[in-house]
Amino acid sequence: MKTVIMAGGRGTRISSVARDIPKPMIPVDGIPVLEREIACLREQGYTDLILTVSHLGNVIIDYFGDGSGVSPATGKPFGVKIEYFIEKEPLGNAGALFHLRDKLTEDFLLLNADTAFDVDFHRFVAFHREKKALATLFTHPNSHPYDSGLIIADRDHVVQRWLTKEDPRPDYYPNRVNAGLHVLSPKLLEKTMDTPKIDLDRQLLKPLAGTGKMFAYDSPEYVKDMGTPDRYQTVCDDIRSGKVSRKNLKNRQTALFLDRDGTINRYVGFLRDPKEFVLLPGVADAIKKINASGYLAIVATNQPVVARGEVTWEQLGEIHNKMETLLGQEGAYLDAIYVCPHHPHQGYPGEVRELKIACECRKPRPGMLLQAAEAFHIDLSRSWMIGDQESDILCGKAAGCRTALIGAGTASYGQTVTAGTLLEAVEQILKGECCDEWDG
């Protein structure tokens, strides 16, 4: 599979870090960010590259050559084959693709050259092929969704709406943004474009929203645009700490699984209306601590109101959109939300018959945790289930996790940790992990 890397950006926002070199050549811990991208691709067998260059493109060409040489930074072979497309006049961030149509005869990767990442591309490409998509976007949550473009997909990962920063947005929205990594079909390049510059997002991809031909591949792996000095410094710190490589889904991950009602939001019985959803004090701070720790923050919640016909999938989605919006306003995010919609008892007016079953995902059974473990390569023995009910503790134990019970009571269900609030539980867990108190 060919990989096209767009390496022509000027990097005006980060010019204070490096003025005389192109943005993709800015060193991160001594190695240009573009070289780090190429190494990630090479290690996974993606060695057929096309780089589109313009501003100071000669610096990139002189450094990498045709990919057969040795890195001046590491002394190791680049180990790839590189072709170049030189933009003599600005073509927009997708214009070069139309000049490369004869070379792009099969599905291809399209990446930005100024993004720090370490992702499992085999998973990404396999998802694209399984969906038979025209375009697949790599999406993830971030700590500032309120000023980011948003990708809104349905439960089957089909992109329904693409909201740019300028577009009006609903009061509540899912925290999922486009990370700038794509798998594209060459069929996208068959259309005739009548503008001298072509914008990838607005002219090629956004029009696919709602057509059933574009999908969102959601992943918690590390992808960060280093377009500002602050973000650049964060990337440097994360590279040095090993956080970037650890987040690759080839590696076993750890998670803090969170119950929803009574753990994240105020318990009101069966919650049916977004107006009733209120975050508990300290929850956003707790989840920010999880985000910073390297654990995945994953909600696992029983929602029998769906089977009982009291809440539709769309209404439940709006409740969860409010949860993600409120957390995002505080700089916190969830990596995934797992829902069990089933309920084994029949006889409710309006119930959804096919959901009235005894399932493997309804807590205290561990199905939701097992699903997440498969999707995100999670080591359950090093992960935690946190909740306010016995069923949460039993679910966690059945999955092989350590457990934390929160709330005012002193009940003992065999949990590892007991705490008053989610924040207290997270602080105990993270402190214990640092001190290895939970081992043995």
Side-chain angles (χ1 to χ4, degrees):
M1 173 179 277
K2 285 186 181 292
T3 300
V4 179
I5 304 179
M6 298 182 288
R10 289 183 172 272
T12 54
R13 292 180 301 161
I14 198 172
S15 59
S16 62
V17 174
R19 294 180 181 275
D20 56 348
I21 60 174
K23 186 177 174 185
M25 296 302 294
I26 294 175
V28 178
D29 201 22
I31 301 174
V33 63
L34 176 55
E35 185 173 348
R36 290 185 177 278
E37 290 190 15
I38 290 173
C40 179
L41 290 162
R42 181 193 66 236
E43 289 166 5
Q44 299 179 60
Y46 296 89
T47 59
D48 190 358
L49 313 181
I50 301 175
L51 271 58
T52 67
V53 298
S54 57
H55 177 63
L56 296 176
N58 60 296
V59 177
I60 296 173
I61 295 171
D62 290 345
Y63 187 91
F64 292 102
D66 64 2
S68 64
V70 173
S71 165
T74 67
K76 298 178 181 179
F78 292 120
V80 294
K81 183 186 77 172
I82 301 177
E83 299 179 66
Y84 295 93
F85 177 83
I86 302 172
E87 291 189 20
K88 297 179 180 179
E89 296 180 357
L91 299 174
N93 60 359
L97 298 179
F98 287 83
H99 291 269
L100 294 168
R101 279 186 288 200
D102 291 344
K103 296 179 181 293
L104 303 175
T105 57
E106 298 178 344
D107 291 352
F108 61 96
L109 283 167
L110 179 65
L111 315 176
N112 293 319
D114 52 10
T115 301
F117 60 71
D118 193 340
V119 306
D120 186 341
F121 282 105
H122 294 312
R123 282 177 176 250
F124 186 23
V125 171
F127 175 91
H128 171 83
R129 288 172 171 163
E130 176 190 339
K131 299 299 183 182
K132 297 180 173 59
L134 276 184
T136 301
L137 313 176
F138 189 111
T139 60
H140 61 174
N142 72 14
S143 60
H144 53 99
Y146 45 83
D147 65 0
S148 302
L150 299 174
I151 303 299
I152 299 177
D154 63 19
R155 291 190 297 122
D156 295 319
H157 309 286
V158 179
V159 176
Q160 299 296 330
R161 300 176 66 189
W162 179 309
L163 300 179
T164 65
K165 295 179 183 180
E166 300 81 18
D167 289 333
R169 62 182 60 195
D171 291 336
Y172 307 126
Y173 44 81
N175 181 351
R176 286 301 177 270
V177 302
N178 182 14
L181 313 182
H182 319 78
V183 188
L184 303 181
S185 165
K187 293 179 181 179
L188 280 175
L189 306 179
E190 293 175 356
K191 57 168 51 177
T192 300
M193 306 300 290
D194 56 4
T195 56
K197 295 183 181 180
I198 301 172
D199 186 273
L200 175 69
D201 291 352
R202 290 167 175 78
Q203 291 178 263
L204 283 188
L205 298 180
K206 186 177 179 180
L208 291 177
T211 67
K213 299 176 181 179
M214 183 164 63
F215 290 78
Y217 171 79
D218 203 45
S219 172
E221 292 169 295
Y222 192 102
V223 183
K224 187 177 289 292
D225 169 21
M226 42 176 259
T228 67
D230 286 346
R231 291 181 188 175
Y232 169 73
Q233 188 57 55
T234 298
V235 167
C236 290
D237 293 342
D238 291 342
I239 286 282
R240 294 187 188 108
S241 71
K243 179 179 180 180
V244 177
S245 58
R246 283 196 304 270
K247 299 292 283 184
N248 188 306
L249 289 184
K250 292 183 297 183
N251 303 316
R252 296 297 292 271
Q253 305 297 307
T254 55
L256 295 190
F257 294 99
L258 311 174
D259 174 47
R260 195 193 79 179
D261 301 313
T263 300
I264 290 177
N265 57 285
R266 185 178 63 199
Y267 182 76
V268 295
F270 289 122
L271 196 158
R272 303 176 179 87
D273 189 330
K275 294 177 182 178
E276 299 179 303
F277 185 96
V278 178
L279 285 180
L280 288 168
V283 163
D285 287 337
I287 294 176
K288 281 196 290 186
K289 287 180 181 291
I290 299 172
N291 299 150
S293 73
Y295 279 98
L296 303 179
I298 299 177
V299 167
T301 177
N302 289 348
Q303 291 301 318
V305 287
V306 179
R308 288 161 50 138
E310 298 166 357
V311 171
T312 65
W313 279 112
E314 290 73 21
Q315 290 167 330
L316 180 63
E318 187 65 6
I319 291 169
H320 288 161
N321 287 348
K322 182 175 183 180
M323 175 170 63
E324 293 204 79
T325 302
L326 295 179
L327 290 172
Q329 290 170 353
E330 300 296 327
Y333 59 85
L334 299 169
D335 291 291
I337 301 171
Y338 282 81
V339 172
C340 171
H342 305 111
H343 190 243
H345 308 302
Q346 299 185 7
Y348 292 82
E351 65 186 15
V352 181
R353 292 273 180 168
E354 60 267 26
L355 298 179
K356 303 295 289 186
I357 59 172
C359 62
E360 293 302 316
C361 55
R362 179 176 167 84
K363 294 181 290 187
R365 290 176 175 159
M368 287 186 283
L369 278 56
L370 299 179
Q371 292 172 37
E374 181 176 358
F376 299 127
H377 200 196
I378 295 170
D379 182 348
L380 291 171
S381 70
R382 296 169 53 223
S383 299
W384 292 76
M385 177 72 217
I386 307 175
D388 66 328
Q389 300 291 327
E390 179 182 14
S391 60
D392 299 313
I393 304 305
L394 297 178
C395 170
K397 294 178 71 174
C401 296
R402 289 168 282 189
T403 56
L405 180 69
I406 67 171
T410 58
S412 177
Y413 306 119
Q415 66 268 20
T416 316
V417 164
T418 303
T421 66
L422 178 60
L423 180 58
E424 292 172 7
V426 168
E427 289 175 339
Q428 286 191 50
I429 289 168
L430 298 183
K431 180 180 178 181
E433 287 292 293
C434 294
C435 302
D436 294 323
E437 291 178 4
W438 313 121
D439 293 334

